[in-house]
């Protein structure tokens, strides 16, 4: 049976799929003590198709970017579930790092990354509030619009 966090997500229509296999020589997550470091997750859906492809500010809208960041958040949580077996073992979301595939003059990366941040608060309440960095980048793997990595405190 799904834990409390997964039930909250399901009530919002969000289900977790099997985490994606890493694309190169790295692992999806590493636990060190009570910290879980989750590798960057691109904005792919359950079928592996990108939710948004291309550059924010040059064909991809803020709304599409927000949805893509939310998809990255779902993929992060899938990795956490694979690592811990239960999202209820998350003590706190410590940090999100967001990478926004951006046109040089795109300045609204923080609005895009809110898709992942809002998801963490939806899932974990106040324990989902976190430190955050948002960086505009020239490109991402497979021309994904967004990639997000994370650090979680876990029990």
């Amino acid at each position: 049976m799904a834990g409390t966090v997964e039930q909250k997500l399901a009530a919002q229509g969000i289900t977790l799929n099997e985490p994606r296999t890493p694309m190169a020589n790295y692992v999806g997550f590493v636990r060190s003590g009570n910290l879980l470091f989750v590798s960057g997750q691109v904005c792919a859906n359950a079928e592996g198709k990108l939710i948004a492809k291309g550059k924010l500010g040059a064909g991809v809208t803020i709304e599409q970017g927000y949805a893509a960041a939310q998809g990255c958040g779902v993929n992060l949580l899938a990795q956490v579930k694979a690592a811990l077996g239960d999202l209820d073992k998350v003590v706190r979301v410590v940090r999100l790092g967001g990478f926004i595939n951006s046109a040089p003059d795109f300045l609204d990366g923080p609005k895009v990354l809110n898709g992942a941040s809002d998801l963490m608060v939806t899932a974990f309440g106040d324990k989902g509030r976190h430190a955050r960095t948002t960086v505009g980048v020239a490109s991402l793997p497979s021309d994904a619009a967004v990639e997000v990595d994370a650090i979680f405190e876990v029990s």
Side-chain angles (χ1 to χ4, degrees):
M1 170 169 248
T4 304
V5 173
E6 278 192 80
Q7 290 174 10
K8 276 194 231 178
L9 292 171
Q12 299 291 321
I14 299 168
T15 58
L16 301 181
N17 300 298
E18 287 297 314
R20 293 176 49 111
T21 303
M23 298 166 64
N25 190 16
Y26 62 94
V27 294
F29 56 84
V30 171
R31 183 170 180 169
S32 181
N34 66 339
L35 294 178
L36 183 68
F37 297 80
V38 181
S39 295
Q41 302 294 305
V42 296
C43 55
N45 64 19
E47 293 78 38
K49 183 176 185 224
L50 291 175
I51 295 167
K53 186 173 184 173
K55 295 194 179 300
L56 275 291
V60 179
T61 67
I62 291 172
E63 294 77 15
Q64 291 168 321
Y66 180 99
Q70 183 180 45
C72 293
V74 170
N75 293 337
L76 287 167
L77 295 179
Q79 292 284 351
V80 172
K81 184 175 179 185
L84 304 175
D86 185 354
L87 294 179
D88 290 352
K89 293 181 180 177
V90 170
V91 173
R92 175 162 194 121
V93 181
V94 176
R95 180 185 179 277
L96 295 183
F99 305 91
I100 313 300
N101 187 355
S102 301
D105 60 346
F106 183 73
L107 303 177
D108 287 324
K111 291 179 183 175
V112 170
L113 196 57
N114 281 343
S117 292
D118 292 348
L119 176 68
M120 296 304 156
V121 174
T122 295
F124 301 107
D126 282 340
K127 297 187 309 183
R129 298 193 185 283
H130 50 272
R132 185 174 96 172
T133 301
T134 307
V135 179
V137 297
S139 67
L140 286 171
S142 302
D143 202 26
V146 183
E147 181 175 349
V148 183
D149 67 4
I151 302 170
F152 296 86
E153 181 183 356
V154 299
S155 61

